[in-house]
Amino acid sequence: MEKAYLEKALGDLINTSPGNYITRETALRPDLAGMRIFDEPLIGYAAAGDPYFAELKKPGIIGSHFMAPREWLDSAETVIALFLPFTEQVKAANRKNPDWPADEWLHARIEGQAFQNTVCRHAIDLLKGQGFAASAPMIDSRFSQTSPVTADKNEQGYYTSNWSERHAAYVCGLGTFGLSKGLITRRGIAGRYISFITSARFEPDQRPYTGVYDYCSRCGACVRNCPAKAISLETGKSHPLCSAFVESTRKKHAPRYGCGKCQVAVPCESGIPLPLFS
Ligand code: SF4
Ligand code: SF4
């Protein structure tokens, strides 16, 4: 299968699927009916045997519970990662109130997640239809997420899972981590990631970076934006503080929840920030 064929099929789905638009029935406000959630994706490719996937099994990165691509799929040749940027409508709405998530952002997290699963299923069907094996860890019954795994309130492994969309996107060349622990791509940090694993062989992309945090300028804007004071230039991100705040939004908006103030009104929102000093 050609990359162009796969990318056109995924782009068409994202542009035209009703799942990428808020329906009148689910809209939190009448004016949000028809709101588009995601713009067109960035797509990156990595070899299933890329040594970086083995690195992710090391303690302090993800850990031994991380399942490498060939543990998900014996015949895996390629990992394909997508960054789905939120639309300007979603981002602009979440810039307005610095203390509470916008309705648009709540939709993007929940209806957005449902659509991410649709994209995964569509990609798997497409690849299988061409005679290849394919799996998407996010919707695989073996996917597991554990929390909390430690009493250490700043422990990076506080929440952990056996696959990481952000790490897969990093290996696939889409971007590097920010202080807020999102992944900064050339289209920014505000959006969501999905990935799938296939026996189809695609040319891996060259990662245009060497360091895990290369694209983060350490400007501190996400520190100042965070209503939970969960991010610090000295100690990074406290997952428990972040989660407690996000849970507080769920109490009001269940089944929806969210925050994302570290992803909007920051220099990395929609692109790679300029270095502070050059
Ligand atoms: S806001 Fe600044 S410090 Fe925070 S992740 Fe983005 S570039 Fe890095
Ligand atoms: S999602 Fe919200 S609470 Fe969590 S780190 Fe970002 S700004 Fe802070």
Side-chain angles (χ1 to χ4, degrees):
M1 183 189 286
E2 296 291 325
K3 281 183 181 178
Y5 175 82
L6 177 71
E7 292 178 9
K8 180 172 185 326
L10 293 175
D12 287 349
L13 177 76
I14 288 159
N15 282 331
T16 61
S17 170
N20 195 20
Y21 297 83
I22 300 302
T23 63
R24 189 170 292 126
E25 292 71 34
T26 57
L28 289 166
R29 301 192 316 261
D31 62 298
L32 297 184
M35 182 187 82
R36 178 169 169 152
I37 303 171
F38 296 115
D39 277 335
E40 288 201 10
L42 289 179
I43 305 180
Y45 301 79
D50 189 308
Y52 202 86
F53 287 115
E55 289 288 304
L56 298 180
K57 284 180 172 285
K58 290 185 176 167
I61 303 184
I62 294 180
S64 58
H65 56 289
F66 175 78
M67 286 171 60
R70 289 189 176 128
E71 294 175 85
W72 292 98
L73 185 73
D74 287 347
S75 57
E77 289 290 343
T78 310
V79 177
I80 304 168
L82 272 68
F83 173 61
L84 297 163
F86 289 140
T87 55
E88 178 58 22
Q89 184 174 358
V90 172
K91 294 186 288 192
N94 210 38
R95 281 183 220 126
K96 285 181 189 155
N97 179 347
D99 301 319
W100 202 252
D103 292 342
E104 289 85 341
W105 194 268
L106 298 172
H107 274 312
R109 285 292 279 113
I110 304 310
E111 281 78 6
Q113 180 66 52
F115 183 60
Q116 288 171 244
N117 295 349
T118 299
V119 177
C120 285
R121 282 192 291 272
H122 184 81
I124 289 171
D125 289 348
L126 197 70
L127 288 157
K128 285 186 172 171
Q130 298 283 317
F132 300 106
S135 166
M138 182 196 288
I139 56 170
D140 190 300
S141 59
R142 292 169 295 169
F143 180 75
S144 74
Q145 195 164 28
T146 317
S147 64
V149 296
T150 172
D152 180 344
K153 296 300 180 211
N154 284 308
E155 172 60 55
Q156 294 301 324
Y158 186 81
Y159 289 95
T160 189
S161 53
N162 56 4
W163 181 254
S164 163
E165 302 299 349
R166 288 170 305 134
H167 285 84
Y170 174 87
V171 181
C172 289
L174 289 184
T176 80
F177 289 84
L179 185 68
S180 60
K181 291 293 180 278
L183 203 80
I184 303 172
T185 73
R186 66 177 194 274
R187 301 269 300 280
I189 198 169
R192 303 282 288 164
Y193 297 88
I194 59 174
S195 61
F196 36 92
I197 301 166
T198 176
S199 63
R201 195 171 293 183
F202 294 98
E203 183 68 23
D205 288 328
Q206 294 294 313
R207 287 187 283 276
Y209 41 76
T210 52
V212 175
Y213 293 101
D214 278 6
Y215 292 166
C216 177
S217 65
R218 292 184 62 79
C219 65
C222 55
V223 176
R224 294 186 288 278
N225 281 11
C226 178
K229 302 201 182 325
I231 311 173
S232 143
L233 277 168
E234 292 74 34
T235 57
K237 178 175 171 180
S238 162
H239 294 279
L241 286 177
C242 171
S243 294
F245 181 78
V246 172
E247 275 307 305
S248 75
T249 68
R250 194 197 299 268
K251 286 198 180 89
K252 183 169 177 197
H253 298 289
R256 297 185 180 81
Y257 57 88
C259 172
K261 302 302 174 184
C262 52
Q263 296 181 26
V264 296
V266 290
C268 58
E269 179 194 283
S270 301
I272 299 170
L274 293 172
L276 289 186
F277 306 103
S278 52

